[in-house]
Amino acid sequence: MEHESPPSQEVSGKALEATLLSALKMLDVGKWPIFSLCSQEELKLIRQACVFGSAGNEVLYATENDEVFVLGMNCSGCLGTGDMQSTIEPRRLDSLCGKKIACLSYGSGPHVVLATEEGEVYTWGHNAYSQLGNGTTNHGFIPCQVSTNLVNKKVIEVACGSHHSMVLTSDGEVYTWGYNNSGQVGSGSTANQPIPRRVTSCLQNKIVVNIACGQMCSMAVVENGEVYVWGYNGNGQLGLGSSGNQPTPCRIAALQGIRVQRVACGYAHTLVLTDEGQIYAWGANSYGQLEPDDHLTVAQSLKKEFDNPETADLKFLVDGKYIHVHKVLLKIRCEHFRSVLNNDDEVIEMSEFSYPVYRAFLEYLYTDNIRLPPEDAIGLLDLATLYGENRLKKLCQQTIKQGICEENAIALLSAAVKYEAQDLEEFCFRFCINHLTVVTQTQGFAEMDHDLLKNFISKASRVGAFRN
């Protein structure tokens, strides 16, 4: 196969730990966007579900009779359907049907590692660095069992880094394989590891009870509460007090005397939970992902002052009303205002948007949250698009989704198209398809823009909405 460059330590996608949700009778999975086109009869049969992928666009679920289905995007074959075709209709994974699923993890390569209740391990997806553990670098398009060095072993937990994999057995042993440029498989070298091998060194005579992977690092908690770490450490995510990589497991000395129960990893930071219910965090903190009380972001540090105009040094004049704001906040938090503000400004007159929209925008800059009704979020979405505030744009889309109904679905779809809000557009489209009979009888549908209507009918036809 063609050689692939190793993933960048700076920009490769983060490894996301996917959580399998059971007892879904307590949840209305029909409200999850990815399930919006499934019938009520199909939804009632779901017993377990796991939404995974960097954007949550893939789902694997098991039914009451242990049939396993997938749907969604299919990057690098991560759905395991045998091809690269994405699907909005559930497709059955015959190789997993009849298996009771215990846990699943997703690496951003992307690849998937799954364990059954009987302790068998199955992998599929991207495999350029042998992260599937089958001894090759061929991508896997269907789930295949990993048996090398795991025969007679019962796997009870799985974890994925971006391009490496790790499992924990019932007898407390840890096995790793895959990409190893920073020592993340714990072998003592930086050579990629094509098959599962037990991590020994300091763990040789230890019983491990919990594992986790960061992007390119690995963690293990042993039965006495000690934490051992290895792999990439450029952001201090190993908690060793340095930034050098660690090719073999090393105990975190700073946790001496603290009994840890569980460890969890983000892209480049780590958290542990102690037996006393305390949480310790270390590593990267560029987004305030560590303890917020001690490591405040600009927005958090100014939050208390939002309703205290005496401390502000700038005014927005909108619709004849003044909004007080810190000039430094605008310069740091919003690219749009860096070119607008100068040292002499005391009042900025704004006229493009309403007072409630601007106030909601400024509150977002102070607090990282928005508080306004779904119907008013369209104006804020317009502002976010104009000012290039992508995170705010995502929050607006989430708020708008909460207010969708048959009467306004077309209007919201139109707004999503206008402001290039692709996630909202797809959500609205699926809602319309799911409520097609009622939606097509609304005034909004009758007044629908010609080009939008044409595209809607074409797309609806492609997904089989008009089949008898």
Side-chain angles (χ1 to χ4, degrees):
M1 63 175 285
E2 217 173 276
H3 174 71
E4 296 188 41
S5 300
S8 163
Q9 293 180 359
E10 302 297 330
V11 298
S12 63
K14 65 181 178 181
L16 298 179
E17 185 72 14
T19 301
L20 192 68
L21 299 177
S22 300
L24 281 172
K25 295 304 180 185
M26 299 172 63
L27 299 174
D28 184 0
V29 294
K31 292 183 178 180
W32 296 7
I34 200 162
F35 283 116
S36 62
L37 293 183
C38 293
S39 68
Q40 289 300 313
E41 289 71 23
E42 291 173 315
L43 297 178
K44 289 178 182 178
L45 294 175
I46 295 175
R47 178 173 57 84
Q48 294 174 301
C50 180
V51 175
F52 59 96
S54 296
N57 287 328
E58 292 83 33
V59 65
L60 177 147
Y61 67 88
T63 64
E64 296 287 358
N65 58 355
D66 290 321
E67 287 189 307
V68 178
F69 293 87
V70 291
L71 62 95
M73 301 295 291
N74 198 14
C75 300
S76 297
C78 62
L79 288 184
T81 54
D83 54 41
M84 299 280 285
Q85 298 299 312
S86 299
T87 177
I88 60 173
E89 295 183 351
R91 293 179 62 179
R92 188 169 65 179
L93 295 187
D94 291 331
S95 57
L96 294 179
C97 287
K99 309 281 186 181
K100 292 186 181 296
I101 300 170
C103 51
L104 179 151
S105 187
Y106 165 86
S108 60
H111 74 288
V112 178
V113 179
L114 176 149
T116 68
E117 289 187 3
E118 293 183 350
E120 299 173 337
V121 176
Y122 291 82
T123 62
W124 64 94
H126 189 270
N127 193 37
Y129 308 99
S130 300
Q131 57 263 50
L132 299 189
N134 57 19
T136 76
T137 54
N138 301 322
H139 299 327
F141 296 105
I142 59 173
C144 289
Q145 186 175 354
V146 180
S147 56
T148 304
N149 293 333
L150 295 178
V151 175
N152 298 323
K153 296 291 182 180
K154 180 179 181 179
V155 169
I156 59 174
E157 191 173 355
V158 299
C160 291
S162 61
H163 296 81
H164 75 286
S165 307
M166 179 163 60
V167 299
L168 172 64
T169 67
S170 59
D171 52 4
E173 296 177 348
V174 174
Y175 290 79
T176 59
W177 61 91
Y179 193 45
N180 192 38
N181 69 325
S182 302
Q184 55 264 51
V185 303
S187 61
S189 75
T190 55
N192 293 350
Q193 193 155 281
I195 58 174
R197 294 192 183 280
R198 187 183 172 194
V199 181
T200 53
S201 184
C202 293
L203 296 181
Q204 178 70 52
N205 299 312
K206 306 281 186 182
I207 296 178
V208 176
V209 295
N210 176 229
I211 59 173
C213 288
Q215 183 203 17
M216 291 188 293
C217 65
S218 306
M219 315 264 173
V221 181
V222 300
E223 63 178 349
N224 68 353
E226 295 177 340
V227 181
Y228 289 79
V229 296
W230 60 98
Y232 182 68
N233 192 34
N235 299 99
Q237 56 264 61
L238 298 188
L240 301 176
S242 66
S243 58
N245 295 347
Q246 178 65 36
T248 57
C250 180
R251 183 176 64 87
I252 300 180
L255 294 176
Q256 178 72 37
I258 297 172
R259 190 179 182 91
V260 170
Q261 288 190 332
R262 294 193 65 84
V263 60
C265 297
Y267 175 87
H269 74 288
T270 307
L271 300 98
V272 295
L273 173 67
T274 73
D275 61 348
E276 296 180 348
Q278 296 176 322
I279 294 176
Y280 290 80
W282 58 89
N285 192 37
S286 53
Y287 297 97
Q289 56 265 56
L290 304 184
E291 189 174 353
D293 288 339
D294 295 332
H295 303 84
L296 297 179
T297 63
V298 173
Q300 290 166 335
S301 65
L302 292 173
K303 181 176 180 180
K304 297 178 182 177
E305 302 178 56
F306 180 68
D307 291 316
N308 185 9
E310 285 73 20
T311 63
D313 59 3
L314 182 68
K315 296 178 182 178
F316 272 10
L317 179 59
V318 189
D319 295 341
K321 300 178 182 179
Y322 285 105
I323 305 175
H324 299 266
V325 64
H326 288 74
K327 188 185 299 184
V328 65
L329 180 71
L330 291 181
K331 286 184 176 181
I332 293 175
R333 296 271 287 162
C334 184
E335 180 70 30
H336 173 78
F337 285 103
R338 289 177 193 167
S339 58
V340 173
L341 291 168
N342 60 60
N343 293 331
D344 298 325
D345 285 327
E346 292 183 2
V347 177
I348 297 181
E349 191 166 345
M350 312 300 290
S351 58
E352 293 182 77
F353 301 97
S354 68
Y355 176 85
V357 167
Y358 265 118
R359 195 181 192 287
F361 168 63
L362 294 176
E363 184 168 7
Y364 158 75
L365 293 181
Y366 275 93
T367 67
D368 284 320
N369 297 305
I370 61 174
R371 292 185 302 170
L372 76 173
E375 58 270 18
D376 293 336
I378 294 291
L380 192 56
L381 176 63
D382 186 4
L383 182 149
T385 303
L386 180 64
Y387 289 179
E389 292 292 313
N390 291 327
R391 185 178 180 277
L392 175 59
K393 196 171 179 179
K394 291 180 180 179
L395 288 177
C396 289
Q397 292 179 70
Q398 294 171 7
T399 300
I400 293 168
K401 287 177 185 179
Q402 296 172 8
I404 195 169
C405 64
E406 290 89 346
E407 288 297 323
N408 66 14
I410 294 298
L412 298 185
L413 175 63
S414 177
V417 172
K418 179 179 179 180
Y419 301 123
E420 299 180 349
Q422 296 178 352
D423 179 55
L424 178 61
E425 179 183 346
E426 185 63 22
F427 177 86
C428 293
F429 172 77
R430 292 186 178 187
F431 182 91
C432 290
I433 296 300
N434 217 28
H435 303 81
L436 191 60
T437 302
V438 178
V439 168
T440 54
Q441 296 173 355
T442 63
Q443 187 68 24
F445 188 85
E447 298 174 353
M448 201 173 181
D449 175 80
H450 175 74
D451 289 338
L452 181 61
L453 176 61
K454 182 179 177 181
N455 291 335
F456 177 82
I457 293 175
S458 175
K459 188 174 180 181
S461 179
R462 289 198 299 271
V463 300
F466 304 122
R467 289 181 298 192
N468 292 326

